[in-house]
Amino acid sequence: MKSLQLLIKPASSLCDLKCKYCFYHDLATHQALSPKIMSVETLELTIKRASEYFANAPKDEPSYLSILFQGGEPTLAGLDYFKQAIAFQKQYFAHLPQVQISNAIQTNGCKLDDELVSFLVTNDFFFGISLDGPKALHDAMRIHRNGSGSYDEVRAGITKLQKFGAQFNVLCVLTDLNALNIKSVYEHFKELGFYNHQYIACLEPFERLGQHSKEQPLFLSEQAYSQFLINIFDLWYQDLMEQGTYISIRHIENYLALLLNMSINSCNMTGVCQIQNVVESSGKIYPCDFFAHDDYELGNLTDHDFEYLQTNSKARTFIEQSHQLPNDCQHCPYLSLCRNGCYRERLNGKNIHCAAFKAFFAARLDKLKQAAAHLARMNS
């Protein structure tokens, strides 16, 4: 089986919001070129290079191309951009029917109109919608440039997705504010009919990783993250075991999969990086969305194909560095589940959330195993 993953940034780090915790603003300062809307030429070259990658894929077995359009805010590129993306996919993959293409888009939801949503749904896009909880919690962090909250616009965008029958999940960025109020966040999502959740720890800028002061406190403290991990699991566990209701929560599903010796789909939980092929609007390629930083540039599409970009010396070094484990991890009873977390969240080789992970597993590993066994019986 041959597969390729692309994370395309149609608008680079450009965005109509100015979220207080946004790490893309920091990343943009580490790129020599200013962010811009991706040109039609760069978009076409991206899809062409992708088709070249599959040129020798076996005809008698499926291959997979996974494309995530992200930002900044990808909808700023406009409807015509996405029409061209689909047209190029049909053009360059017409002779490769064995390649199954999946398209997804991660959006703040504020610029979704009927025409755009209708087109994307018709072409089987999966949507990720950024929502940090009820209005007061969401609007405290996800704001417009004038300081006003964005909750009402996001809810309007979600209504459009529901109107057209879109498939979507909700992505919640954790800060102390909503992590310590996760019950209200979880219940709010359920009230809205959202049963597919993803919670991600707020990412600090490169220079502030693991550092804090009274003037610049961390967006997400270890105490708050520890409480979140335990509390969200308890809410999920109660729904599953007492109500018979299954809520899809990505990090919990991955823990269950690891306990059941299944593969997982979240690179931050495998302990080893993979090349995501982040395609900036300039055509430069980076290994990971968290490392779209010129020090990690793998090359550009004008000069190189994806085979080279994924296997050159910089790509190999990036992956090899993520394999390294500190001594503490090598003797930790939770290594098989934690795996030292995301490479971007490591300081001096050790994950900055180590204490939070240990607190969660010490408190809830037995119940996690019970839930895994329960689900295995249900699916047998």
Side-chain angles (χ1 to χ4, degrees), residues 12-292:
S12 188
S13 58
L14 298 174
C15 190
D16 52 319
L17 299 184
K18 194 174 183 179
C19 302
K20 294 179 182 179
Y21 52 60
C22 182
F23 71 90
Y24 286 109
H25 295 303
D26 171 61
L27 281 178
T29 67
H30 293 280
Q31 293 183 9
L33 299 177
S34 299
K36 63 179 182 179
I37 302 297
M38 182 179 287
S39 68
V40 175
E41 292 76 16
T42 300
L43 173 60
E44 180 176 12
L45 181 59
T46 301
I47 304 303
K48 181 176 181 289
R49 290 292 199 194
S51 69
E52 292 169 354
Y53 182 81
F54 291 98
N56 297 318
K59 301 291 185 181
D60 56 350
E61 63 182 51
S63 296
Y64 299 92
L65 171 61
S66 172
I67 301 177
L68 171 61
F69 295 91
Q70 195 162 306
E73 176 47 46
T75 61
L76 293 180
L79 174 60
D80 286 345
Y81 174 91
F82 292 98
K83 286 184 175 180
Q84 289 165 336
I86 295 300
F88 289 142
Q89 289 176 22
K90 291 178 179 178
Q91 174 185 344
Y92 285 103
F93 283 85
H95 65 294
L96 297 166
Q98 76 274 32
V99 180
Q100 299 179 17
I101 303 176
S102 63
N103 288 291
I105 182 171
Q106 180 64 43
T107 173
N108 61 34
C110 294
K111 296 293 185 182
L112 296 175
D113 58 40
D114 283 2
E115 194 175 7
L116 176 61
V117 173
S118 176
F119 176 79
L120 296 180
V121 170
T122 298
N123 286 280
D124 299 319
F125 272 66
F126 184 87
F127 294 78
I129 298 294
S130 297
L131 183 66
D132 283 357
K135 183 178 175 64
L137 294 177
H138 178 93
D139 283 351
M141 289 289 174
R142 299 189 65 83
I143 58 175
H144 293 282
R145 296 185 179 278
N146 64 6
S148 63
S150 61
Y151 179 87
D152 293 337
E153 291 92 334
V154 178
R155 282 294 308 278
I158 290 171
T159 298
K160 287 182 172 61
L161 295 181
Q162 293 170 325
K163 171 183 173 181
F164 288 96
Q167 297 295 309
F168 67 93
N169 70 5
V170 59
L171 186 150
C172 176
V173 177
L174 296 169
T175 61
D176 276 19
L177 189 62
N178 56 3
L180 294 172
N181 291 280
I182 198 59
K183 187 176 190 297
S184 64
V185 175
Y186 180 80
E187 296 297 342
H188 184 65
F189 290 164
K190 285 173 56 182
E191 289 169 5
L192 295 175
F194 306 157
Y195 290 87
N196 193 336
H197 307 179
Q198 184 178 358
Y199 300 92
I200 60 173
C202 181
L203 189 64
E204 299 287 335
F206 274 91
E207 289 78 10
R208 287 186 55 196
L209 185 64
Q211 309 299 318
H212 68 281
S213 64
K214 290 182 179 179
E215 293 75 27
Q216 285 191 316
L218 296 174
F219 285 115
L220 180 63
S221 65
E222 286 311 284
Q223 179 184 5
Y225 194 41
S226 296
Q227 290 185 36
F228 158 79
L229 289 170
I230 293 171
N231 292 341
I232 193 65
F233 175 80
D234 287 347
L235 292 164
W236 174 88
Y237 186 86
Q238 182 178 20
D239 275 342
L240 175 68
M241 304 299 281
E242 298 181 15
Q243 307 299 325
T245 300
Y246 184 79
I247 307 294
S248 173
I249 298 180
R250 190 177 186 189
H251 74 273
I252 294 177
E253 285 188 343
N254 280 297
Y255 287 142
L256 295 170
L258 289 170
L259 287 171
L260 295 170
N261 296 313
M262 299 167 62
S263 60
I264 62 175
N265 60 5
S266 183
C267 63
N268 68 319
M269 296 177 68
T270 64
V272 179
C273 290
Q274 60 186 15
I275 302 301
Q276 292 182 341
N277 297 299
V278 177
V279 185
E280 268 287 357
S281 61
S282 62
K284 288 185 176 183
I285 305 298
Y286 299 89
C288 168
D289 193 27
F290 292 166
F291 289 89

